[in-house]
Amino acid sequence: LGLRDHVNGGFFRYTVDPGWRTPHFEKMLYDQALLIPLLLRAADVLQEPRYRFAAREALDFLLTQMRRPDGAFIASLSAVDGAGEEGGYYLWRPEDLVRLLASEVQRLAASVWGLDAPPQHAAGSLPVLAREPAQAAAELGMDPETAAGLLDQARAALLAERSTRSLPKDTKALAAWNGLTLSALIAGARAFPGGPYREAAQALRGYLVASLWDGEELHRSGSEQGWMGEATLDDYAYVARGLRDWADLAGSDADRALARRLVGLAWEHFHDDAGWRLSADPLLPAVPAEP
């Protein structure tokens, strides 16, 4: 329940309690990228529309909150806000709700998101799904369509207030995580034809090929000062898979050939008789397992 951001989509890194209500408030790119295809697959297999909705919310969160102007995606959003408060960017005190929401909207939002209980954190409460909107509407004597509109009003008001808050970001673009994100965007493009996800995937594919591939080897990250860090097995594997997925979607033989080349380079750099290693020059020697 607390793993997902119910106001703006996307997923926190993990929860710290067995009931999954209290997150560690950091948002990582790789979590979004791995969960989106999983949710879309689960929605199809289990015939559960909520999973499809959560996947689309996460896709839109990626495009609005984690995408860079060059088409790549940043690594993470901090758990600590600009004022040094753990989770402060996402939390709400009762007086915030009174100030931001009309009384009818406040009652509905408090019921749906569990904001009518005492705050769980020093900076306030995290909206979680305490009741289905239809159930809350029935309990409050509201028409379901009216309640849906009021909940959209509440979400818009909280997002507007959030925009005045500060949240540090790790803005570097990592090859592996962006490779995973390319696959996630392609899954989104297949699930939601006509949406913005294919265009975003094409731009990300362009960034990976033009900015992190030099024609001979892949680089882990890049900046205006040049490439940063040596690519690892993860980088080669996930970028290759992303390019293969793009080749399947776009019918691109060139991208399929590049994906195969990256896989071949991964074998050369990271595999020997002892098996796979994460980096070409590990800090510690690998010790083969006993047979």
Side-chain angles (χ1 to χ4, degrees):
L1 294 174
L3 192 64
R4 176 168 156 240
D5 181 354
H6 291 273
V7 174
N8 198 30
F11 293 87
F12 299 110
R13 191 172 187 182
Y14 53 84
T15 57
V16 299
D17 65 311
W20 289 45
R21 296 184 66 85
T22 304
H24 171 63
F25 289 94
E26 193 174 17
K27 286 184 176 180
M28 310 299 294
L29 179 61
Y30 64 82
D31 286 323
Q32 322 306 316
L34 288 167
L35 283 167
I36 287 165
L38 176 63
L39 286 165
L40 290 172
R41 175 66 174 156
D44 288 341
V45 171
L46 302 176
Q47 293 296 294
E48 179 49 77
R50 290 183 302 172
Y51 297 155
R52 184 177 172 88
F53 175 81
R56 187 158 201 173
E57 250 193 358
L59 283 161
D60 291 340
F61 165 77
L62 280 178
L63 295 190
T64 59
Q65 302 298 314
M66 301 194 80
R67 192 183 186 195
R68 303 193 324 187
D70 59 7
F73 289 78
I74 67 172
S76 66
L77 302 177
S78 175
V80 178
D81 70 9
E85 187 74 50
E86 175 82 18
Y89 184 78
Y90 303 101
L91 300 174
W92 306 96
R93 294 184 173 91
E95 56 267 29
D96 296 327
L97 304 179
V98 172
R99 174 171 55 89
L100 296 169
L101 306 177
S103 58
E104 188 178 35
V105 179
Q106 182 186 340
R107 287 196 301 273
L108 177 66
S111 179
V112 171
W113 290 331
L115 300 175
D116 47 4
Q120 315 100 309
H121 307 274
S125 297
L126 175 72
V128 298
L129 189 62
R131 293 176 185 81
E132 291 293 337
Q135 178 189 350
E139 292 174 355
L140 295 171
M142 295 181 182
D143 174 81
E145 290 187 7
T146 300
L150 293 177
L151 201 59
D152 285 342
Q153 289 181 31
R155 186 176 286 108
L158 297 185
L159 284 175
E161 179 71 9
R162 262 195 199 177
S163 70
T164 68
R165 300 175 176 181
S166 173
L167 187 66
K169 302 177 180 181
D170 181 349
T171 59
K172 65 178 175 288
L174 296 173
W177 298 4
N178 275 270
L180 287 171
T181 303
L182 179 55
S183 294
L185 291 170
I186 291 164
R190 293 184 184 280
F192 307 106
Y197 313 121
R198 180 179 178 130
E199 182 180 352
Q202 184 173 12
L204 177 53
R205 174 265 170 208
Y207 173 84
L208 290 169
V209 173
S211 298
L212 297 185
W213 168 248
D214 66 6
E216 297 294 332
E217 62 180 345
L218 190 67
H219 297 271
R220 182 163 178 77
S221 185
S223 71
E224 294 180 355
Q225 288 73 42
W227 289 305
M228 299 184 297
E230 292 187 4
T232 65
L233 176 60
D234 286 354
D235 297 307
Y236 277 86
Y238 293 135
V239 171
R241 189 176 76 173
L243 291 174
R244 182 209 61 189
D245 291 343
W246 173 254
D248 290 344
L249 181 71
S252 170
D253 291 338
D255 286 293
R256 187 170 289 108
L258 179 53
R260 285 196 297 267
R261 186 173 178 191
L262 291 176
V263 170
L265 288 170
W267 274 94
E268 292 178 18
H269 295 334
F270 308 112
H271 190 272
D272 56 27
D273 292 340
W276 290 99
R277 56 188 180 276
L278 180 61
S279 62
D281 298 305
L283 294 176
L284 298 175
V287 179
E290 292 292 332

